[in-house]
Amino acid sequence: MTTYQRVATACRMAAVAAVGAAVWTGLRHEWILAAVLAYGSGWLVVLGGLCHRVHLVDQTRHEQARRAANTDPATLSAPLPCCSFWRHSGGAVHGRDCTRPPDARFVRDGLPLDDAETAAFDAITAHALKEL
């Protein structure tokens, strides 16, 4: 167990004990003490949750570092270009000869291109291909 796990578990156990004490003092008509214990138990639950979250973030970072250390740099490579226009635009724009699915190629801002936009795109593509 990590330190954060221990603190989270201790906070949760203390919160359960504080709720039990609040119930016991409430049955004895010590309302102020019962309210203070119940309020404190709420903060203990919050603190335990925060510690648990820090533990999960720490665990995720360790896993990412472990995976990064185990990858072989020789096997890592850039994605293969799907079309000539993608190669010359740095991956920002795709041309008509693109091998990706049509939905991924001809969509701008989540909407399909209309006729005017398609004509403008074709003109840009033709001009870029002439420069090759």
Side-chain angles (χ1 to χ4, degrees):
M1 271 186 130
T2 64
T3 304
Y4 290 115
Q5 280 180 308
R6 289 185 186 118
V7 171
T9 302
C11 286
R12 290 176 181 153
M13 288 176 19
V16 169
V19 167
V23 169
W24 186 75
T25 56
L27 291 174
R28 304 236 183 262
H29 302 289
E30 299 287 335
W31 304 115
I32 294 174
L33 183 58
V36 169
L37 286 169
Y39 182 76
S41 69
W43 279 108
L44 286 170
V45 168
V46 168
L47 181 63
L50 290 174
C51 287
H52 184 68
R53 180 178 168 90
V54 168
H55 164 70
L56 291 178
V57 168
D58 192 37
Q59 188 177 16
T60 302
R61 287 184 182 159
H62 281 291
E63 180 64 21
Q64 289 172 346
R66 185 190 64 78
R67 287 183 181 176
N70 288 339
T71 56
D72 183 17
T75 60
L76 298 177
S77 63
L80 295 174
C82 54
C83 61
S84 58
F85 204 62
W86 178 85
R87 186 178 300 123
H88 298 289
S89 68
V93 183
H94 298 273
R96 287 278 182 201
D97 61 339
C98 184
T99 58
R100 294 179 68 195
D103 291 339
R105 288 183 281 165
F106 302 109
V107 174
R108 189 198 77 211
D109 299 332
L111 300 173
L113 299 177
D114 61 5
D115 294 334
E117 291 171 334
T118 303
F121 184 80
D122 290 338
I124 293 169
T125 305
H127 179 46
L129 293 176
K130 284 180 187 177
E131 292 178 2
L132 296 177

